[in-house]
């Protein structure tokens, strides 16, 4: 039964009771109605308050819809209650109290109030204390370093997973505090204003295929456009600033820094990108020549992406690392495509020293950690040299005490980090229609993208879905462990069911039937998933993901974010709408797509369909 019916069922039963009594000629008096609706109001008020207090105290993702539905019913009953009691209140205000309060009634009232406070305090205690698990973990040492840190992310994934029965099992709480500032500024740093005009008319399809050929250096105007399309503010509404790349809860934890070596009109040095004012802030001069990133040191620009984890953590708690890294993947895919359109080759470094990069940026590496580095250079120039295999190894040392400030989030960041060491001494699926490249201008596609949560009932053409899936078939940047699954509800020419997208541009049927309701249920009952024509579900095969240690966990989420961003942009470029979703029950999501949750981890959902009203 839909959740709204469960929430409304007491009101519906009461309405049926009133109808039955009225039909029998025994309709209750005004006083009776007042008392009965007051009792209902008390029940709904306690239910709403208990849900709110419990989930706030528990510091985990709420079952979104239940709380606000109880709240709406409570407001309805409050309105009825006021209707019956307002005349009495007005009369009391006009005349004042007519008699003294009976002896002892004050103590009784106080006792009731204290009892209510005790009940709510008990709910808060249940949310904060019941089932708390203290996560203790010691890194492996020596030859077990890779295995040890891989075990750390396995533990992190378990503790940050959601399930209906696992709400009381979580890691020790973190004092996340209030929301940090939305934008980071360097007030004393000289600022360089940037442009964000559309300087080229290349399409999304062209940018997906390959970089546009060029040999000359990037100009300052072109750099400004790249940064605007990656992380710039593209809309402001209701006091909120929305960016070019989506972010869970519109929290935008990512920060961009640039080690500039060769850009026309820009002095080499270390810069921070300020998306609020669309400008660069010069942090240090000539820092690019001593960055220490090996083969990437000769790049025209190195873009370093960090995450301010508290921006996401204050709301999403232990799932903060998952969301922050997926958000980074969305941003990096925008940057990669914009770079291709500008004629720049974009390559993500798979191995670098996080502590060294954090030191170069002047960040602590814990509260704000380095997640990714992208090498930008003209597509017509010499390609970047390949990194030496084995040059970077997972850290065998125990985590620093300050890393514990973020609990399991800090543990996951350190487990997936590397440190610089010396080099060692010695198909059969359903064939899809041929894809058609997206012809819409890349700039327009990125700046017009918005997360759409309501979809029309119309079906998506199979050819259009095939073209969007073809957009996903880029060479992996960091991880080959990502698997693409689809929950199909309304695609013309394709039966409803769960499918896996194969590398030969075909679909393999996993489960036939209608699974929209199951997908919605797995995604914490969010209507955006239940109403979509198609739901993208990205998973990672655990063994290949962690083959080289815990670093693969970060790479998988970055890769998933990039794949999802191509899904979102491909939809917008073809007149459709899409929305990423990171909140779901991990165990139910695995069952939905037919994988073993011990061998495959679900990382990401994204809805797709025709926007409502079209």
């Amino acid at each position: 039964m839909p959740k709204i019916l469960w929430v409304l069922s007491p009101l519906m039963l009461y309405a049926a009771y009133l109808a039955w009594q009225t039909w029998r000629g025994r309709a209750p008096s005004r006083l009776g109605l007042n008392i009965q609706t007051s009792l209902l109001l008390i029940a709904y008020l306690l239910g709403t308050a208990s849900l709110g207090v419990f989930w706030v105290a528990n510091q985990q993702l709420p079952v979104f819809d239940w709380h606000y539905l109880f709240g709406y019913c409570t407001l309805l009953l409050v309105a009825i209650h006021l209707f019956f009691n307002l005349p009495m209140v007005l009369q009391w205000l006009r005349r004042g109290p007519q008699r003294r309060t009976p002896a002892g009634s004050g103590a009784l009232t106080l006792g009731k109030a204290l009892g209510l406070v005790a009940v709510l305090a008990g709910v808060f205690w249940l949310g904060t204390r019941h089932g708390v698990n203290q996560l203790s973990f010691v890194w492996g040492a020596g030859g077990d370093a890779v295995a040890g840190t891989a075990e750390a992310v396995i533990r992190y994934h378990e503790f940050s997973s959601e399930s209906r029965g696992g709400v009381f099992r979580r890691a020790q709480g973190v004092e996340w505090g209030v929301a940090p500032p939305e934008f980071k500024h360097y007030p004393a740093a000289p600022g360089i204003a940037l442009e964000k005009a559309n300087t080229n008319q290349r399409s999304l399809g062209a940018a997906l295929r390959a970089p546009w050929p060029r040999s000359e250096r990037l100009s300052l105007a072109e750099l400004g456009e790249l940064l605007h399309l990656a992380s710039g503010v593209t809309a402001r509404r209701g006091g909120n600033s929305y960016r070019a790349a989506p972010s869970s809860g519109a929290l935008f934890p990512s920060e961009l820094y640039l080690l500039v070596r060769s850009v026309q009109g820009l002095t080499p040095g270390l810069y921070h990108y300020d998306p609020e004012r669309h400008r660069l802030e010069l942090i240090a001069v000539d820092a690019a020549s001593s960055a220490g990133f090996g083969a990437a040191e000769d790049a025209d620009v190195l873009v370093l992406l960090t995450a301010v984890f508290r921006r996401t953590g204050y709301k999403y708690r232990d799932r903060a690392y998952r969301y922050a890294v997926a958000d980074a993947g969305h941003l990096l895919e925008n940057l990669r495509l914009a770079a291709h359109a500008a004629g720049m080759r974009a390559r993500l470094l798979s191995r670098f020293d996080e502590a060294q990069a954090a030191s170069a940026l002047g960040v602590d590496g814990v509260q704000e950690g380095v997640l990714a580095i992208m090498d930008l250079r003209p597509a017509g120039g010499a390609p970047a040299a390949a990194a030496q295999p084995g040059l970077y190894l997972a850290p065998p040392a125990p985590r620093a005490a300050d890393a514990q400030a973020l609990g399991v989030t800090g543990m996951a960041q350190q487990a997936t980090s590397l440190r610089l060491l010396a080099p060692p001494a010695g198909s059969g699926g359903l064939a899809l229609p041929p894809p058609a490249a997206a012809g819409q201008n890349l700039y327009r596609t990125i700046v017009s993208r918005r997360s759409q949560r309501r979809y029309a009932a119309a079906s998506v053409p199979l050819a259009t879905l095939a073209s969007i899936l073809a957009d996903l078939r880029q060479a992996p940047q960091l991880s080959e462990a990502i698997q693409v699954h689809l929950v199909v509800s309304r695609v013309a020419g394709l039966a409803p069911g769960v499918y896996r997208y194969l590398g030969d541009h075909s679909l393999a049927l996993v489960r036939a039937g209608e699974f929209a309701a199951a997908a919605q249920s797995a995604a914490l009952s969010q209507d955006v998933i239940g109403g979509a024509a198609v739901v993208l579900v990205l998973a990672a095969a655990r063994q290949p993901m962690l083959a080289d240690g815990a670093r693969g966990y970060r790479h998988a989420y970055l890769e998933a974010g990039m794949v999802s961003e191509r899904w979102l942009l491909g939809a917008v470029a073809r007149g459709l709408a899409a929305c990423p979703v990171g909140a779901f029950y991990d165990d139910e999501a695995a069952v939905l797509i037919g994988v073993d949750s011990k061998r495959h981890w679900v990382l990401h959902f994204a809805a797709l369909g025709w926007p409502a009203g079209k």
Side-chain angles (χ1 to χ4, degrees):
M1 187 168 67
K3 54 185 174 295
I4 184 62
L5 295 182
W6 283 109
V7 175
L8 291 175
S9 57
L11 294 179
M12 295 166 64
L13 290 173
Y14 179 62
Y17 164 77
L18 288 180
W20 169 251
Q21 290 292 84
T22 302
W23 182 77
R24 297 175 62 197
R26 298 181 180 181
S29 65
R30 181 185 179 92
L31 177 61
L33 286 171
N34 189 6
I35 293 174
Q36 293 164 7
T37 56
S38 294
L39 291 173
L40 280 171
L41 173 59
I42 291 171
Y44 273 96
L45 185 61
L46 288 176
T48 304
S50 298
L51 282 171
V53 170
F54 174 82
W55 284 115
V56 169
N58 190 256
Q59 298 185 352
Q60 292 292 298
L61 286 172
V63 182
F64 302 109
D65 297 341
W66 286 105
H67 190 216
Y68 76 72
L69 289 174
F70 267 98
Y72 288 148
C73 291
T74 302
L75 288 175
L76 172 64
L77 288 167
V78 165
I80 296 174
H81 183 74
L82 290 175
F83 172 79
F84 281 115
N85 290 278
L86 189 56
M88 184 190 310
V89 172
L90 294 175
Q91 182 180 14
W92 185 90
L93 289 174
R94 285 196 301 266
R95 299 181 181 178
Q98 299 299 309
R99 58 182 180 178
R100 299 178 58 186
T101 303
S105 62
L108 180 62
T109 301
L110 178 61
K112 292 177 180 178
L114 291 176
L116 177 60
V117 171
V119 169
L120 293 179
V123 173
F124 187 86
W125 176 89
L126 185 63
T128 55
R129 300 295 179 186
H130 187 74
V132 170
N133 289 271
Q134 177 64 49
L135 181 65
S136 58
F137 187 82
V138 179
W139 305 121
D144 296 330
V146 170
T149 54
E151 178 63 25
V153 298
I154 292 172
R155 297 289 304 281
Y156 167 76
H157 197 81
E158 291 174 352
F159 272 93
S160 62
S161 293
E162 296 290 345
S163 65
R164 298 183 191 277
V167 66
F168 300 119
R169 184 180 184 274
R170 59 187 179 88
Q172 189 69 32
V174 172
E175 293 296 331
W176 290 102
V178 299
E182 182 181 1
F183 296 99
K184 183 177 183 180
H185 298 296
Y186 288 82
I192 297 97
L194 296 172
E195 297 180 21
K196 55 185 178 184
N198 184 5
T199 60
N200 68 71
Q201 297 296 321
R202 289 164 195 131
S203 68
L204 171 62
L208 286 167
R209 284 194 295 273
W212 197 264
R214 81 180 280 163
S215 56
E216 67 273 15
R217 294 185 299 162
L218 196 69
S219 70
L220 180 59
E222 289 173 318
L223 179 62
E225 182 177 334
L226 295 188
L227 294 173
H228 177 61
L229 294 179
S231 183
V233 175
T234 58
R236 299 181 192 271
R237 289 199 302 269
N240 296 318
S241 299
Y242 296 98
R243 313 283 185 88
S247 171
S248 297
L251 299 174
F252 305 106
S254 300
E255 293 287 337
L256 292 182
Y257 299 83
L258 286 80
L259 287 167
V260 176
R261 180 174 178 269
S262 181
V263 172
Q264 298 177 41
L266 189 60
T267 302
L270 172 64
Y271 296 85
H272 170 255
Y273 174 56
D274 176 4
E276 183 179 30
R277 291 172 285 190
H278 191 54
R279 69 175 193 169
L280 291 174
E281 297 169 320
L282 178 60
I283 300 174
V285 179
D286 295 329
S289 61
S290 58
F293 294 116
E297 283 189 348
D298 64 341
D300 285 19
V301 181
L302 274 181
V303 181
L304 293 88
L305 184 148
T306 68
V308 181
F309 292 112
R310 285 188 183 273
R311 284 185 192 161
T312 300
Y314 95 93
K315 180 175 182 180
Y316 292 119
R317 312 297 175 178
D318 289 342
R319 288 177 83 92
Y321 189 79
R322 295 190 186 201
Y323 291 175
V325 180
D327 286 353
H330 287 290
L331 188 157
L332 290 168
E333 183 63 10
N334 274 7
L335 179 60
R336 187 180 77 94
L337 293 174
H340 281 189
M344 302 293 287
R345 182 183 292 110
R347 182 179 71 99
L348 281 168
L349 278 62
S350 63
R351 294 173 175 268
F352 58 87
D353 188 318
E354 273 79 1
Q356 182 176 330
S359 177
L361 299 179
V363 301
D364 65 0
V366 178
Q367 304 288 346
E368 181 178 354
V370 181
L371 291 183
I373 300 178
M374 181 173 280
D375 173 314
L376 298 179
R377 61 187 71 214
Q388 281 184 265
L391 183 61
Y392 296 89
L393 300 177
R399 58 177 170 165
D402 58 355
Q404 300 181 23
L406 296 183
V408 292
T409 299
M411 182 190 76
Q413 169 66 3
Q414 183 162 0
T416 61
S417 296
L418 303 176
R419 67 189 181 103
L420 180 64
L421 299 177
S427 150
L430 170 68
L432 290 169
Q440 180 167 289
N441 172 261
L442 176 66
Y443 185 97
R444 179 183 173 189
T445 301
I446 290 179
V447 300
S448 63
R449 183 214 57 77
R450 285 290 166 267
S451 295
Q452 176 73 37
R453 304 186 68 86
R454 301 292 178 188
Y455 302 98
S459 296
V460 173
L462 180 58
T464 303
L465 176 62
S467 297
I468 295 174
L469 288 172
D471 292 348
L472 309 187
R473 296 174 63 203
Q474 302 285 299
Q477 293 288 300
L478 294 170
S479 177
E480 297 183 353
I482 302 300
Q483 298 175 352
V484 175
H485 300 262
L486 302 175
V487 181
V488 174
S489 296
R490 300 186 304 278
V491 174
L494 186 62
V498 177
Y499 295 84
R500 180 175 173 189
Y501 181 56
L502 305 179
D504 60 352
H505 192 54
S506 66
L507 292 176
L509 179 63
V510 177
R511 304 168 68 193
E514 298 282 354
F515 291 99
Q520 179 175 345
S521 177
L524 277 65
S525 300
Q526 296 182 74
D527 292 334
V528 61
I529 295 298
V534 185
V535 178
L536 173 75
V537 182
L538 298 178
R542 183 172 133 178
Q543 184 173 355
M545 175 175 60
L546 301 178
D548 293 326
R551 182 57 159 240
Y553 188 72
R554 181 194 300 180
H555 286 174
Y557 268 100
L558 287 169
E559 193 76 46
M562 297 178 78
V563 171
S564 174
E565 185 69 358
R566 293 198 289 275
W567 175 266
L568 304 179
L569 295 178
V572 172
R574 295 169 175 89
L576 297 167
C579 179
V581 171
F584 51 85
Y585 294 117
D586 295 71
D587 51 353
E588 292 187 21
V591 171
L592 173 69
I593 62 173
V595 299
D596 181 354
S597 61
K598 300 296 184 182
R599 298 182 180 181
H600 296 82
W601 287 347
V602 178
L603 307 182
H604 193 71
F605 277 46
L608 178 141
W610 293 108
K614 289 190 177 181

